[in-house]
Amino acid sequence: MSATINERVAAWTEDELGVTGRVLEVVTAPAPVLSTDGATVDPTDPEIVQLAADLVATMRVSPGCVGLAAPQVGVGVKVFCVDVSQHPKARTHHGTYVLCNAEVVESSRNEKAREGCMSVPDLTGDVKRASRLLVRGQLPVTGEWVEIRTDAFEARCLQHEMDHCDGYLFLDRVAGAHAIYQRQTYL
């Protein structure tokens, strides 16, 4: 399963949402919404379209943020945005996009790597995740189903955001206390 670019997803921009995103407050653990399985959504619902725009706007103003899920802004639904295009660990990437009701179709080649999260601001952890991934989800506004075949950092980011939508934090995926670290701060 090699990564290939889905041209529809790569061409997507937040302009398709037709609304202006608002910057929302990011909630942190132990907020109950972060451990609750999110509801599936109608991607054509104007409230979900606004949420999609808000997620992108919030991600854009958050330094180092490469993805943000609805539960992280206090909304318990299966919607998230991703953009790993500027991250040095990204190989394959599809730019900025939002997915609703996403699910893993295929996964392979588990690898361990360090993860952090805006909802767990003081910690990082080593998490084993698939490095090759096929994900299926819906685009906001149209509800169009798309598949994203990706690898490396984008695959990790997708799994991290889907975990948020299912009520899991990266801390739920670490091998144990020995794999959790204080976040490093650089001046």
Side-chain angles (χ1 to χ4, degrees):
M1 171 174 53
S2 63
T4 54
I5 298 297
N6 178 316
E7 296 301 330
R8 172 64 181 107
V9 176
W12 187 91
T13 71
E14 59 260 41
D15 292 342
E16 292 185 35
L17 299 171
V19 294
T20 301
R22 306 164 297 197
V23 175
L24 303 177
E25 182 180 343
V26 175
V27 300
T28 57
V33 69
L34 295 173
S35 58
T36 303
D37 189 12
T40 56
V41 299
D42 172 359
T44 66
D45 180 327
E47 287 184 18
I48 296 303
V49 173
Q50 182 64 58
L51 174 62
D54 295 346
L55 288 170
V56 172
T58 305
M59 176 180 68
R60 292 227 189 280
V61 301
S62 304
C65 184
V66 293
L68 193 65
Q72 293 182 273
V73 295
V75 183
V77 296
K78 295 183 185 301
V79 180
F80 64 85
C81 67
V82 166
D83 183 357
V84 302
S85 62
Q86 301 304 308
H87 197 280
K89 291 183 182 175
R91 287 201 302 252
T92 304
H93 69 80
H94 289 79
T96 302
Y97 55 94
V98 176
L99 287 182
C100 304
N101 308 318
E103 59 190 18
V104 173
V105 177
E106 294 174 22
S107 63
S108 64
R109 293 202 180 173
N110 284 339
E111 292 179 2
K112 184 172 66 171
R114 189 72 49 93
E115 291 187 19
C117 180
M118 289 177 59
S119 293
V120 187
D122 298 325
L123 301 173
T124 62
D126 293 334
V127 180
K128 189 179 276 193
R129 296 197 189 270
S131 64
R132 291 191 177 179
L133 197 65
L134 176 61
V135 169
R136 182 175 184 261
Q138 292 176 279
L139 296 175
V141 179
T142 64
E144 173 185 356
W145 283 96
V146 293
E147 288 190 341
I148 298 173
R149 186 177 299 275
T150 192
D151 58 17
F153 192 71
E154 189 175 54
R156 177 169 295 279
C157 185
L158 281 167
Q159 291 166 91
H160 180 108
E161 300 311 328
M162 285 187 287
D163 268 359
H164 276 302
C165 292
D166 293 338
Y168 297 101
L169 296 171
F170 76 89
L171 294 174
D172 298 312
R173 302 285 189 207
V174 296
H178 66 280
I180 300 172
Y181 308 91
Q182 284 293 315
R183 183 181 293 271
Q184 298 297 311
T185 10
Y186 302 96
L187 299 176

